[in-house]
């Protein structure tokens, strides 16, 4: 309860100054606002044009429409563009999410159960698609604005297609390096991901994006088999 109250106060404090800076820039300093927007566009362009792979540890928080902390988790991630993802939750549960370019595997380690879905359909118009997609994936999003808060440059994007349920995605850059990702859905829930020990463009082999289905794992769904799949 105490954690929820503290988190709620921090979120409200952040939102207050976020809106304050936005309107001050909009009405009283349009030149600064334009300069910030150019900076934001340059950061986004650099990230999507030059990032081939990404590894990091992360902490993740989910907040509801009342700014109540609903869930926290942490783990590690590996991304290799295009279309390869390994997202591992370590706390409070052990779960792996693997995108091999064809299928999306969601593996509950404790239950020894895996759900498999078509990756293209599952990722369509989601933050996962944006992070793992081809360079031109950014064309599916509209640039909204840029805000600098506590030395963090926040770049706000909005999906052109809102059918996935996500209405806004923000990238937080610190000294030009991606540090945080925030996305909001149409239920007014917000997910904040903080990245740590980030490494860009490290050589990552494709084999870690393979899911090995053994006899002791329950399979839910039918994997798509393709000659172009990552799985060998």
């Amino acid at each position: 309860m105490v954690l929820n109250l503290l988190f709620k106060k921090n979120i409200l404090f952040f939102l207050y100054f976020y809106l304050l800076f936005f309107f001050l820039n909009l009405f009283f300093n349009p030149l600064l606002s334009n300069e910030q927007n150019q900076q934001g566009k340059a950061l986004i362009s650099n990230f999507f044009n030059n990032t081939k792979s990404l590894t990091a540890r992360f902490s993740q928080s989910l907040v509801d429409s009342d700014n109540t902390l609903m869930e926290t988790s942490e783990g590690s991630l590996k991304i290799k563009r295009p279309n390869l993802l390994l997202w591992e939750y370590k706390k409070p549960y052990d779960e792996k999410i693997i995108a091999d370019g064809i299928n999306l595997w969601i593996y509950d380690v404790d239950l020894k159960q895996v759900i498999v879905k078509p990756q293209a359909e599952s990722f369509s118009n989601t933050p996962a698609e944006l992070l793992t997609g081809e360079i031109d994936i950014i064309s599916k999003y509209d640039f909204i604005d840029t805000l600098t808060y506590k030395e963090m440059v926040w770049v706000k994007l909005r999906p052109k297609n809102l059918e996935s349920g996500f209405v806004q995605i923000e990238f937080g850059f610190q000294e030009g390096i991606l540090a945080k990702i925030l996305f909001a859905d149409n239920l007014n829930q917000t997910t904040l991901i903080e990245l740590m020990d980030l490494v860009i463009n490290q050589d990552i082999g494709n084999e870690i994006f393979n899911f090995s289905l053994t006899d002791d794992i329950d399979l839910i769904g039918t994997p798509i088999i393709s000659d172009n799949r990552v799985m060998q």
Side-chain angles (χ1 to χ4, degrees):
M1 181 64 179
V2 173
L3 179 60
N4 284 348
L5 289 174
L6 290 173
F7 193 87
K8 182 174 181 179
K9 288 180 179 179
N10 287 337
I11 289 292
L12 291 174
F13 184 80
F14 172 78
L15 290 176
Y16 171 78
F17 279 96
Y18 187 104
L19 292 173
L20 176 62
F21 277 109
F22 173 77
F23 284 110
L24 285 176
N25 288 338
L26 181 64
F27 292 108
F28 297 105
N29 202 341
L31 292 178
L32 177 58
S33 180
N34 289 335
E35 182 179 328
Q36 286 184 336
N37 284 338
Q38 291 303 315
Q39 179 188 19
K41 290 178 179 178
L43 286 169
I44 286 292
S45 176
N46 179 67
F47 178 77
F48 284 99
N49 287 325
N50 298 316
T51 301
K52 308 303 180 185
S53 70
L54 182 156
T55 66
R57 293 186 302 111
F58 71 87
S59 63
Q60 180 174 320
S61 303
L62 176 64
V63 180
D64 68 11
S65 57
D66 296 320
N67 290 326
T68 300
L69 181 63
M70 298 177 63
E71 182 181 83
T72 61
S73 54
E74 60 184 65
S76 63
L77 64 91
K78 290 181 173 63
I79 293 172
K80 185 175 182 180
R81 301 173 68 193
N83 304 324
L84 302 180
L85 169 72
L86 172 59
W87 193 286
E88 295 185 90
Y89 288 100
K90 293 299 183 183
K91 295 181 181 180
Y93 45 78
D94 198 347
E95 181 180 79
K96 293 183 179 181
I97 300 174
I98 301 174
D100 63 19
I102 301 296
N103 296 293
L104 175 66
W105 305 82
I106 305 172
Y107 177 48
D108 188 312
V109 177
D110 294 329
L111 294 179
K112 285 191 171 297
Q113 182 182 87
V114 63
I115 299 172
V116 62
K117 304 177 181 179
Q119 180 176 327
E121 178 182 332
S122 301
F123 273 19
S124 181
N125 300 303
T126 67
E129 181 189 48
L130 183 58
L131 287 171
T132 63
E134 301 276 4
I135 291 176
D136 62 354
I137 190 65
I138 195 64
S139 65
K140 299 174 68 173
Y141 293 78
D142 290 323
F143 174 86
I144 304 303
D145 60 35
T146 303
L147 171 71
T148 301
Y149 176 71
K150 289 188 175 180
E151 300 183 352
M152 184 84 66
V153 180
W154 288 93
V155 186
K156 185 187 301 182
L157 305 175
R158 180 174 297 146
K160 294 179 180 179
N161 185 336
L162 301 177
E163 291 182 359
S164 68
F166 293 96
V167 298
Q168 184 171 295
I169 301 174
E170 299 184 34
F171 290 86
F173 294 89
Q174 196 160 33
E175 296 182 353
I177 299 173
L178 182 64
K180 296 182 180 182
I181 306 169
L182 184 150
F183 48 91
D185 61 28
N186 55 12
L187 299 177
N188 293 321
Q189 294 181 338
T190 301
T191 300
L192 175 64
I193 298 172
E194 182 173 359
L195 303 176
M196 297 154 287
D197 301 330
L198 179 70
V199 179
I200 298 293
N201 293 337
Q202 182 182 51
D203 187 28
I204 303 176
N206 286 354
E207 63 276 2
I208 69 166
F209 304 102
N210 299 336
F211 182 78
S212 179
L213 183 62
T214 56
D215 292 339
D216 61 338
I217 298 175
D218 292 328
L219 173 65
I220 299 176
T222 303
I224 299 172
I225 304 300
S226 170
D227 291 337
N228 296 322
R229 68 190 187 283
V230 174
M231 294 166 40
Q232 302 297 322

